[in-house]
Amino acid sequence: MNYRTSLRIGTREISLESPTYFIADIAANHDGDLGRAKDLIWRAKEAGADCAKFQHFLADKIVSKVGFEGPAGQVSHQAKWSKSVTEVYDQYHTRREWTQELVEACRQADIDFMTTPYDAEAIEMFRDIVPAFKVGSGDITHHGAIEQMARTGRPVLLACGAAAMPEVEEAVALVLKHNDALCLMQCNTNYTGSAENFRYVNLRVLQTFAARWPGLVLGFSDHTSGHSAVLGAVALGARVVEKHFTDDTAREGPDHAFALDPVTWRTMVDATRELEAALGDGVKRVEANEMETVVIQRRALRLRNALPAGTVLSEDHLEALRPCPEGAIPPSAISSVLGKRLTTAKDAGKELLWSDIEPRS
């Protein structure tokens, strides 16, 4: 089966040949403040992001208060939260009445506006507003929501953290049943910021995805520190990258600690652009910027002593020394030279040219 090898988000064409599309996931880092949310949009743009993404959920539509009650209910990164899960989700959700102002701020900043919707009402609310939908990893088995997003016809960015391959295959099939504009994003959903998390990012899954769905647009949603994982993902074919974004990683809040700030975000984007330039097209050749060094670093067959025309060449007459001007005979071709006669007199030290010896038979 042939899969769609490119998709469009806003004005950007996303494909293996395109520059990486960067999504700054502002998520909860607005801390419940509209002014902060709009400021982070501008800061993300200045740092090189192509998209400012939010998350739209309502506490009672995404988490069960009963399910998270008691100490056993809050584990992993949530164990550090000073409030209950329900309270945190309620405090940090993106208010839906902000939508018009957030969209306008993104328009003015010339950055795409996107969201991850976590309920049916949010999907319907944003279907004609966003250029694409992001499916969070936690909803990979929420098939109804996946299908609802796919049916809108908007491109779907499907994150698959904490999922086994059969679950990914089911979700991909659901999207493709309705919509071929799909970006499949490798992800590891551990938000603790531990350096140990690099052992679990498993970037080679991108190669597995490329083999399973040849040509499909791939992406990477990352929560590790620094840029190593992002650069590795881009080298392996990811062309959509999502990371959390904040102005201060020391702020109190659920997502600040593992986010990038404007300085580190810009460093990531700049490093990625360097990597993209370095990847090239895969054709091995003497590159345009090597035309001078190929001369000065390679050796040519040169005459140890001055020789008259008609001399039958032997190894004693020759040595291999730099440089090797265009037309000079390289030492790899010495077997084609030995036993041939010089057609012209040559001075000591001069490079041997193909035009200096009898024509090759």
Side-chain angles (χ1 to χ4, degrees), residues 68 71-81 189-193 197:
F68 281 107
Q74 291 185 219
V75 297
S76 187
H77 61 289
Q78 294 181 350
K80 297 179 181 179
W81 292 358
T189 55
N190 184 295
Y191 307 98
T192 61
N197 290 342

Side-chain angles (χ1 to χ4, degrees), residues 3-327:
Y3 299 96
R4 185 165 169 175
T5 58
S6 68
L7 53 88
R8 182 169 289 277
I9 299 178
T11 61
R12 283 286 307 278
E13 189 74 16
I14 312 299
S15 72
L16 195 59
E17 290 73 38
S18 304
T20 302
Y21 182 86
F22 281 99
I23 300 173
D25 193 7
I26 295 172
N29 287 337
H30 50 68
D31 297 338
D33 183 293
L34 175 59
R36 270 188 57 76
K38 292 194 288 187
D39 181 61
L40 287 171
I41 287 171
W42 284 94
R43 288 175 179 265
K45 173 64 177 181
E46 292 168 1
D50 300 291
C51 173
K53 190 180 78 70
F54 293 85
Q55 297 180 12
H56 282 85
F57 52 80
L58 298 172
D60 61 352
K61 291 183 178 293
I62 190 172
V63 295
S64 164
K65 183 176 180 180
V66 173
F68 281 107
E69 281 181 344
Q74 291 185 219
V75 297
S76 187
H77 61 289
Q78 294 181 350
K80 297 179 181 179
W81 292 358
S82 58
K83 297 181 180 180
S84 71
V85 171
T86 304
E87 289 175 313
V88 169
Y89 273 81
D90 185 59
Q91 177 181 349
Y92 289 96
H93 77 94
T94 305
R95 278 58 172 171
R96 300 182 188 199
E97 60 268 25
W98 296 354
T99 299
Q100 186 174 347
E101 291 192 56
L102 293 180
V103 171
E104 177 60 19
C106 286
R107 187 194 67 78
Q108 292 180 3
D110 191 26
I111 191 173
D112 292 333
F113 169 85
M114 199 185 299
T115 190
T116 299
Y118 283 99
D119 54 67
E121 293 78 12
I123 296 171
E124 288 306 307
M125 178 178 178
F126 289 101
R127 63 179 298 157
D128 297 324
I129 297 175
V130 296
F133 276 117
K134 163 72 188 308
V135 181
S137 293
D139 278 353
I140 197 162
T141 58
H142 193 2
H143 289 178
I146 292 174
E147 286 200 273
Q148 186 182 357
M149 281 183 257
R151 287 194 188 101
T152 68
R154 299 294 187 188
V156 175
L157 313 181
L158 177 65
C160 54
M165 190 64 173
E167 294 171 319
V168 177
E169 290 176 329
E170 286 183 354
V172 167
L174 279 176
V175 175
L176 293 179
K177 183 170 69 172
H178 306 286
N179 188 342
D180 64 354
L182 171 64
C183 172
L184 181 58
M185 305 181 75
Q186 169 61 347
C187 178
N188 176 260
T189 55
N190 184 295
Y191 307 98
T192 61
S194 169
E196 283 292 301
N197 290 342
F198 283 105
R199 297 178 53 223
Y200 302 101
V201 171
N202 204 358
L203 293 178
R204 289 194 176 100
V205 166
L206 290 165
Q207 295 173 307
T208 301
F209 288 165
R212 174 64 179 81
W213 296 284
L216 193 69
V217 177
L218 300 178
F220 180 51
S221 182
D222 185 36
H223 307 102
T224 61
S225 60
H227 318 306
S228 298
V230 166
L231 295 175
V234 172
L236 291 174
R239 289 299 178 269
V240 175
V241 167
E242 177 191 43
K243 288 196 77 141
H244 282 256
F245 181 84
T246 186
D247 58 347
D248 183 356
T249 58
R251 286 181 69 92
E252 182 180 355
D255 295 341
H256 292 291
F258 55 86
L260 296 185
D261 62 24
V263 173
T264 54
W265 185 281
R266 170 53 71 181
T267 301
M268 173 185 68
V269 172
D270 290 347
T272 300
R273 299 302 179 223
E274 291 176 347
L275 171 62
E276 289 167 344
L279 287 174
D281 60 10
V283 177
K284 184 56 186 165
R285 56 178 168 259
V286 177
E287 298 290 350
N289 69 339
E290 297 176 312
M291 293 304 182
E292 292 181 347
T293 55
V294 74
V295 171
I296 64 176
Q297 289 188 337
R298 287 194 180 185
R299 298 169 187 253
L301 292 178
R302 294 177 175 274
L303 300 184
R304 295 179 185 273
N305 302 293
L307 295 176
T311 302
V312 177
L313 294 170
S314 69
E315 288 192 43
D316 292 338
H317 294 135
L318 305 170
E319 58 185 346
L321 296 173
R322 298 176 179 183
C324 184
E326 185 177 356

